[in-house]
Amino acid sequence: MSPRGVATPDVRERLFAAAERVVERDGPGALTSRAVTTEAGCAKGLLHTHFAGLDEFVAELALDRFARTAERAGTLTGLAGQGTVNGNLDAVILTLLDSGGPALSGLAMTRPAAALRVREAFQSGAPGFAAIEEAIADYLRAERELGRVPSRVDAGAAALALVGTCHHLLMTSWPGTPDPRPAVERLVTALVS
């Protein structure tokens, strides 16, 4: 545990990673400020020092993870012509479904203040599903130009289908449900082959 009065490096990420571990291990109902700080090995009040409360913390965690996935999706176009199309798409889509993504999304949606904060952030331009969809569509267009995706594939529609399916899986999956990855991999194959 960090001693009182000593700065905790990378406090946001440390708390976010701890929250993900708590949710993955014990489920969304176990997420409390105390559970997060105990898991992170830091002072009990640290979460409230950096966030207005648990709702803001949960919203910021969800927004952070969406931003990371959107950033990763943004690198897709640079991968055009490399690896496999399916592998490149799977890697991005599955990022949202890994690290407790379904449980964290469900948690954010069950906390009205957190859900409102996430929705407002998306409406204000925070990277989320729309940014991921746009990056996937751009990537598919680039691959189509290279001949690695059939010319009949509608890049925008395929991106919408992938992101929509991912959204559905995030909202309907929780610890203990079947692994969503095989369904995502089948969908990618069906859309771009």
Side-chain angles (χ1 to χ4, degrees):
M1 178 154 316
S2 299
R4 188 171 175 89
V6 174
T8 304
D10 300 324
V11 68
R12 282 176 56 94
E13 183 52 36
R14 186 171 175 181
L15 292 171
F16 288 168
E20 288 177 322
R21 289 191 302 272
V22 168
V23 170
E24 280 187 58
R25 182 183 61 236
D26 304 323
L31 191 72
T32 63
S33 301
R34 183 172 293 265
V36 171
T37 55
T38 298
E39 181 71 26
C42 57
K44 302 296 178 226
L46 188 63
L47 186 141
H48 292 283
T49 299
H50 293 275
F51 302 92
L54 192 57
D55 285 331
E56 180 181 276
F57 173 77
V58 168
E60 290 298 319
L61 171 57
L63 290 168
D64 180 80
R65 294 325 191 221
F66 271 114
R68 285 179 178 209
T69 304
E71 183 178 330
R72 184 166 184 180
T75 67
L76 272 172
T77 302
L79 295 176
Q82 300 175 37
T84 67
V85 174
N86 289 24
N88 292 338
L89 289 171
D90 287 345
V92 168
I93 295 296
L94 296 176
T95 299
L96 276 172
L97 301 174
D98 289 338
S99 297
L104 290 173
S105 293
L107 174 66
M109 295 303 108
T110 61
R111 301 184 70 88
L116 177 62
R117 168 78 179 94
V118 169
R119 186 170 42 255
E120 288 172 343
F122 286 161
Q123 289 170 342
S124 296
F129 285 119
I132 297 165
E133 181 182 335
E134 183 179 322
I136 290 171
D138 289 345
Y139 169 69
L140 288 172
R141 286 184 199 99
E143 290 288 20
R144 194 173 54 203
E145 288 177 20
L146 294 172
R148 291 176 20 119
V149 168
S151 60
R152 64 173 168 68
V153 171
D154 180 329
L160 176 61
L162 286 168
V163 171
T165 299
C166 189
H167 182 264
H168 167 75
L169 292 170
L170 281 171
M171 297 297 112
T172 60
S173 299
W174 53 87
T177 58
D179 183 359
R181 287 180 285 239
V184 170
E185 292 166 357
R186 286 192 313 273
L187 179 63
V188 167
T189 299
L191 290 172
V192 301
S193 296

